[in-house]
Amino acid sequence: MIARRRQVALALTALLAAGAACQAQDQGAPARPGHPAPTKDKGFTLVASGDVLPHSSIIDRARFDSGGTGYDFRPMLAGVEPLVSRADLALCHMETVYGENGDYTGYPTFKSPPEVATGLAATGYDGCSTASNHSLDDGADGIRRTLDALDRVGVGHAGSARTEAEARTVTVLRAGPAKVAHLAYTYDTNGFPLPQGQPWAVNLIDENKIVADARAARAAGADVVVVSMHWGTEWQDEPDERQLSLAGALTAARTGGRPDIDLILGTHAHVPQAYEKVNGTWVIYGMGDQIAGEMFNHQGAQDPRGNQSTVGRFTFAPPAGPGERWRVTKAEFVPQVFDVDAGRVVNLNQALAHGAEMRGVRDRIRDVVLSRGAAKDGLVMGK
């Protein structure tokens, strides 16, 4: 298993004390192979990617890639590994929960092999959001198995919880010299009720709660606060009114003149959506599905957009002065596609030899990503 920087949990109920503990626990945390060691005057790079949604065909592919014994998701993700592993901090979205002992299912109620977590760790991911409309597909047991599996491979998680104490903590991950809080929320759980006596099991979107959690994380010592949002309208390229409204409200929240939230990462819509700088803060409305089987839209037609996505990459620099925020000095997106025939994630800017068809897919993703004017704020397509 890849050596990983340690995850730090800051208790929301003991803010200042937790911040001090965080600082102490971070000291000496090792960098992953290929990552520079943290230094006080350096910034960091953060990459984030979209929904990992293992349909039955994806599970079958992982079985094949393992040689028929177990499940191996590493080959699926090999095409994005160089991009992910070279970042100081890499975040994914684990949309489904895990089953056990071969009891694995795809759509409509998912139970994925826990080996997904091994594949994510081997690719270089440090943490995943786990709040989604599928978080309760197998009730509290599904949450427990999923978070247990992520813990075993050293991947942090945010958005669902096994205990009330865990729900009242915020995940903070090391990114070079910075402590990055990762918060995550979902619009719904597909009508599945929260487990009896566990109203804290999954974080649901609530503007006031998100802002309060972000402020608590900052007060506890987080340098940067990243919020993952499972939101939006499926199969719609454009962000919906709720996304736009929430993005405006969340990025406007400030304490002492400093924004409470430094980056918003969107998932759920199944298609890539725009990036936009809102109130000075970058928002990705939707990254699309990084891993998924053949996707069928609301008209029942197979829709290739459901296998298209982006990776966001942001370079942060230290604050220019006391009380100021860490600044994004470079914002990039990298277009991807999941090749359902090969069962592989493809970095489109590394695969132009595939011909005009792939160039057309890349260009379509680029046009959607830039559709709300992000280019004028410096967003560029990376490799």
Side-chain angles (χ1 to χ4, degrees):
M1 185 178 70
I2 295 174
R4 313 186 69 77
R5 289 180 299 279
R6 290 174 222 163
Q7 172 188 344
V8 183
L10 302 183
L12 296 182
T13 53
L15 302 181
L16 297 178
C22 168
Q23 190 172 21
Q25 290 175 24
D26 270 339
Q27 291 176 356
R32 285 185 289 145
H35 289 58
T39 60
K40 290 183 179 180
D41 58 346
K42 288 192 64 174
F44 67 91
T45 55
L46 180 153
V47 301
S49 54
D51 309 49
V52 175
L53 187 61
H55 291 87
S56 295
S57 61
I58 300 297
I59 297 171
D60 291 343
R61 166 59 67 173
R63 183 76 169 176
F64 176 83
D65 285 339
S66 75
T69 57
Y71 300 86
D72 190 353
F73 290 85
R74 292 172 298 177
M76 261 181 226
L77 289 159
V80 77
E81 187 274 338
L83 175 63
V84 171
S85 65
R86 291 170 188 162
D88 293 298
L89 180 64
L91 301 175
C92 77
H93 177 58
M94 188 65 245
E95 181 162 2
T96 62
V97 295
Y98 299 158
E100 62 183 351
N101 299 325
D103 181 17
Y104 308 131
T105 55
Y107 182 84
T109 52
F110 291 83
K111 285 189 286 185
S112 305
E115 289 86 349
V116 177
T118 304
L120 293 169
T123 304
Y125 285 102
D126 299 291
C128 296
S129 56
T130 57
S132 83
N133 58 314
H134 290 288
S135 292
L136 291 176
D137 278 6
D138 200 32
D141 286 341
I143 291 174
R144 173 185 51 77
R145 288 192 297 265
T146 304
L147 304 190
D148 285 353
L150 292 169
D151 283 346
R152 284 195 296 271
V153 297
V155 174
H157 43 80
S160 58
R162 294 160 287 197
T163 66
E164 185 174 5
E166 184 171 52
R168 292 175 64 83
T169 65
V170 58
T171 298
V172 175
L173 300 167
R174 197 73 180 178
K179 297 183 287 293
V180 178
H182 187 203
L183 310 174
Y185 307 84
T186 179
Y187 75 98
D188 193 22
T189 55
N190 282 352
F192 287 112
L194 291 162
Q196 187 171 2
Q198 299 181 21
W200 36 259
V202 181
N203 285 342
L204 299 177
I205 290 174
D206 178 292
E207 178 187 326
N208 292 332
K209 174 176 168 52
I210 295 170
V211 172
D213 288 351
R215 288 174 175 166
R218 183 86 75 201
D223 299 304
V224 171
V225 177
V226 176
V227 175
S228 290
M229 298 285 281
H230 199 73
W231 61 355
T233 301
E234 291 183 344
W235 299 108
Q236 183 170 302
D237 292 338
E238 302 83 15
D240 63 27
E241 288 304 315
R242 180 64 170 149
Q243 286 174 285
L244 296 174
S245 174
L246 272 170
L250 294 176
T251 57
R254 281 168 164 70
T255 300
R258 181 182 181 181
D260 295 316
I261 294 167
D262 297 294
L263 179 65
I264 295 177
L265 307 172
T267 57
H268 172 63
H270 297 312
V271 295
Q273 294 183 321
Y275 289 41
E276 186 176 21
K277 204 170 192 180
V278 184
N279 295 320
T281 294
W282 281 105
V283 176
I284 305 178
Y285 290 107
M287 290 177 282
D289 293 343
Q290 184 181 49
I291 289 179
E294 282 193 344
M295 296 293 291
F296 294 84
N297 60 30
H298 293 315
Q299 287 71 47
Q302 196 271 330
D303 194 328
R305 295 178 302 151
N307 296 112
Q308 299 169 11
S309 68
T310 65
V311 172
R313 180 166 56 198
F314 299 89
T315 302
F316 284 82
E324 297 187 27
R325 75 189 307 186
W326 282 68
R327 298 162 291 120
V328 173
T329 56
K330 188 174 185 181
E332 303 168 88
F333 71 96
V334 179
Q336 294 183 119
V337 68
F338 186 78
D339 184 332
V340 293
D341 294 325
R344 299 291 184 263
V345 176
V346 177
N347 179 335
L348 287 172
N349 275 335
Q350 301 294 326
L352 294 186
H354 288 215
E357 181 180 354
M358 284 295 188
R359 283 195 293 273
V361 172
R362 180 204 61 181
D363 293 348
R364 194 203 80 81
I365 294 172
R366 179 196 60 204
D367 291 346
V368 170
V369 166
L370 299 178
S371 62
R372 293 187 63 84
K376 68 177 174 23
D377 285 317
L379 182 70
V380 297
M381 185 162 60
K383 292 186 178 180

